[in-house]
Each structure stands twice: as C-alpha cells, then as structure tokens.
Amino acid sequence: MIKKNNVPLQEVSWVKSDESLKDVHASSAAHLYYPESMDELIELCRGLYRRGESFDLIGYASNTLLLPSYHPRHLICTKKLEEMVEDDICIMCECGVQVRQLAKFCVAHGYEGFEGLVDLPGTVAAAVYGNAGCYGCHVATCLSDVEILGEDGEIRMLKPSDMAFSFRSSAMKRGELRGVVLRVFFRKVPGDSKLLEQRAQEAHRQRKATQPPAANNLGTTMVGCKQRTAKGRVIIPVARTLARITRNRRQTEVAVILLLSGYWRLRPYLFRMNRSMFLDVRAHQLFPDYLRLMSKLYKDPQLEIEIRK
C-alpha cells in the first residue's frame, strides 16, 4: 500500500490546467492511498467503514472535475489494481483496469461489444458506475456480474439488473446503491474478428475527426438538453439558421449562441455546446458561467461529468 499525506490533487486530476493554483486554494487530500492488491483495498475500506470514516474513490478521474474546494480526508486511487483474467466463460477485471485496455483485448480476441470503446478513457469500475458507452457499444451490454464491498463490510455479487442502469447513470451514481466496486465480470460474446477490427478502426477514426484530444477535457460535459427554455427556443434556431451558410457550421452555431446569450467570454473554452475545455485557470473560473448558460437555454440539462467539491 502506498500512502501519502497532504497531497495536492493535481497528482490524480485528469486536467492539469489549474496547476498554477496548486499552492493557493487548491484541492488536496489529507490521506491519499494507492492499494497495490485487492486484499489491500478491501482491508482499507473495511477499516474505514468500521471506524465510521467517510472516503472517496477515484481511478483516472477522466470524467471527474475536482474543484478547489474539494478536500477529502481519505481518497483511494484504484489505478494500480489492473489484473485481468480470462476463463472459459468471462473476463474478470479488477476495478482499476482501463476500459480501452479491456476493449483492445476483446477486439484482438474476437469478442464483440467492445469495439466502440477502444479509445474510451477511465476504469471499468467508473464505466459501470456511470454506464459509459460510445459508438454503439455500452459497458453494461456485456456485463455479467459486479462484485462490490458494501458499507457493512460484506462482499456480494450483483447482476446488471441490480445496477438499475439508465442513460449514463446507475443506482450507484444516483446514490441508491452504496459500496465499492471491486471486480467487474464481462461475458465473452464471440464475433467476427475482422469485422470487429474494422469497427474499432472506424470508431477510432471518428473520435479523432470529431472530438478534441483527451487532454484537458473530461469528455461530454452535459447531456439531456432536449427541452428548450423560452430563451433557447429563440436563440438556438437563429444560430442554426446562420450556421447553415458557413463552412464550419457547428462552431459557428456555438459562436452565435454565445454572442446572442451574452456569454461570449466562454468562446475559447467550449468544444461545441456540450464539452468544456479546461485549457487554463480561467476555464475553471468560468465553468459556473457555462452551467448557468445551459440552464438558461434548456429545461433539462444534466451533468455527465462528476463534480467533487
């Protein structure tokens, strides 16, 4: 077990653009743990549960924004728990296995259901927690079982139905089910290896063509956005009409929306309307403005990223 005390959370944050705040009002953990085996993770969590001490878990934080006000007493990072074992029926992944590592393994071995996930960042535990998916593939589709450690210290196996998955959410993310994901088991569904490789390459090509590099953004920031407010019903159609006559339609649409809504200051920090780009410290400072803008345009905006504060 690796344990560090009074650690700035730049060490585990996915976005590094607020590094200049490291010594002033930066987020930090009183105790940061890196379990190096599943037994260490279980023993650590059981001890904290037994003592009634709260703790948080994190993997690669590729979908998590750590605000400067976030100061957990105990933070457990699972990225060193990377064992993956295949048997005749399924593939067992410890909670820290990267989704893209699993996906590339499955594509190479001809198991379908993962070909769209070859570039998806984050751990399998986080993917189950947030019901992650892209390019026609969803982590929940081939899920067999989830092993969790409950707050009572007992280990139990859950079925996909127990996770009560909804779009980009689960019972754990909604707080209806509490515990620590230890291991995730995936069914092996044989497919056409050549076709799976082609699909994986196409997903990779599409991601490169339509999304920014993974650095300094947390993927899709906002989902929902189906019902427009009165302001949204005016501004968005105007922006789309003007964008149709330009070469870069999507970026023009964003620019017009920001101009008409009075939020032009956000222009450098948005990739389309649903992704915040944390390019520098100012991007972090303006993030609350982005949330306010989306609530003015839509009745139903929902954060896909997790914010810890």
Side-chain angles (χ1 to χ4, degrees):
M1 173 92 67
I2 300 172
K3 179 182 177 183
K4 301 181 180 182
N5 299 320
N6 301 316
V7 183
L9 291 186
Q10 279 292 309
E11 179 165 321
V12 295
S13 176
W14 180 268
V15 292
K16 305 298 185 183
S17 49
D18 59 347
E19 192 165 2
S20 63
L21 297 176
K22 183 182 293 185
D23 299 320
V24 184
H25 307 304
S27 56
S28 62
H31 306 291
L32 176 62
Y33 308 85
Y34 290 90
E36 296 180 284
S37 71
M38 191 55 63
D39 286 343
E40 287 186 350
L41 175 63
I42 294 170
E43 181 180 2
L44 172 62
C45 293
R46 278 177 170 163
L48 292 170
Y49 278 141
R50 192 165 49 246
R51 296 193 298 274
E53 297 194 53
S54 63
F55 62 91
D56 288 340
L57 292 105
I58 203 163
Y60 286 86
S62 58
N63 195 240
T64 305
L65 180 63
L66 309 179
L67 295 184
S69 56
Y70 181 55
H71 296 279
R73 178 167 173 76
H74 300 286
L75 183 64
I76 303 170
C77 183
T78 62
K79 63 174 64 175
K80 294 185 179 295
L81 302 175
E82 299 182 293
E83 185 178 11
M84 186 167 66
V85 178
E86 177 186 12
D87 63 22
D88 293 339
I89 300 173
C90 65
I91 302 168
M92 182 284 295
C93 298
E94 288 187 336
C95 51
V97 170
Q98 295 184 65
V99 174
R100 54 191 174 194
Q101 175 190 354
L102 168 66
K104 289 173 182 177
F105 174 88
C106 290
V107 169
H109 288 77
Y111 304 137
E112 65 180 33
F114 299 89
E115 56 274 16
L117 307 176
V118 290
D119 292 307
L120 189 69
T123 65
V124 293
V128 169
Y129 176 88
N131 191 19
C134 57
Y135 300 109
C137 294
H138 301 272
V139 171
T141 303
C142 293
L143 185 64
S144 172
D145 299 279
V146 181
E147 183 184 58
I148 73 162
L149 175 70
E151 292 181 313
D152 58 1
E154 296 297 317
I155 295 173
R156 54 182 63 90
M157 297 293 284
L158 302 181
K159 292 295 182 183
S161 58
D162 297 317
M163 298 299 295
F165 290 118
S166 59
F167 183 74
R168 298 292 186 268
S169 187
S170 70
M172 294 193 81
K173 186 172 183 178
R174 295 189 298 272
E176 301 160 4
L177 176 66
R178 301 183 64 83
V180 175
V181 175
L182 301 177
R183 298 179 179 90
V184 184
F185 298 79
F186 296 96
R187 293 180 290 108
K188 300 193 303 184
V189 182
D192 184 323
S193 296
K194 186 173 292 186
L195 180 59
L196 295 177
E197 181 60 39
Q198 290 173 354
R199 290 175 178 170
Q201 291 176 1
E202 176 59 19
H204 177 71
R205 185 196 67 76
Q206 286 190 41
R207 180 177 282 268
K208 289 194 69 174
T210 61
Q211 298 186 27
N216 288 331
N217 74 93
L218 299 169
T220 300
T221 306
M222 197 73 72
V223 293
C225 303
K226 302 295 184 182
Q227 302 179 47
R228 298 173 189 166
T229 61
K231 179 174 284 191
R233 289 196 297 271
V234 173
I235 291 176
I236 295 172
V238 170
R240 289 183 175 173
T241 298
L242 292 175
R244 289 193 190 103
I245 63 176
T246 66
R247 181 173 297 179
N248 193 337
R249 292 175 57 179
R250 289 188 181 275
Q251 293 303 86
T252 300
E253 181 181 324
V254 172
V256 174
I257 289 173
L258 295 179
L259 185 63
L260 295 179
S261 60
Y263 283 84
W264 182 255
R265 58 192 174 276
L266 296 176
R267 183 68 190 88
Y269 305 112
L270 292 185
F271 183 85
R272 302 177 182 169
M273 288 298 293
N274 66 346
R275 184 181 301 240
S276 294
M277 302 297 296
F278 296 95
L279 304 177
D280 53 33
V281 172
R282 183 165 166 77
H284 295 265
Q285 296 167 341
L286 289 176
F287 185 71
D289 282 354
Y290 169 70
L291 300 181
R292 281 190 283 271
L293 169 62
M294 296 302 284
S295 67
K296 290 180 179 180
L297 295 175
Y298 299 98
K299 297 179 180 179
D300 58 341
Q302 300 173 44
L303 280 170
E304 180 166 347
I305 66 171
E306 184 173 2
I307 297 180
R308 299 194 184 178
K309 55 188 176 181

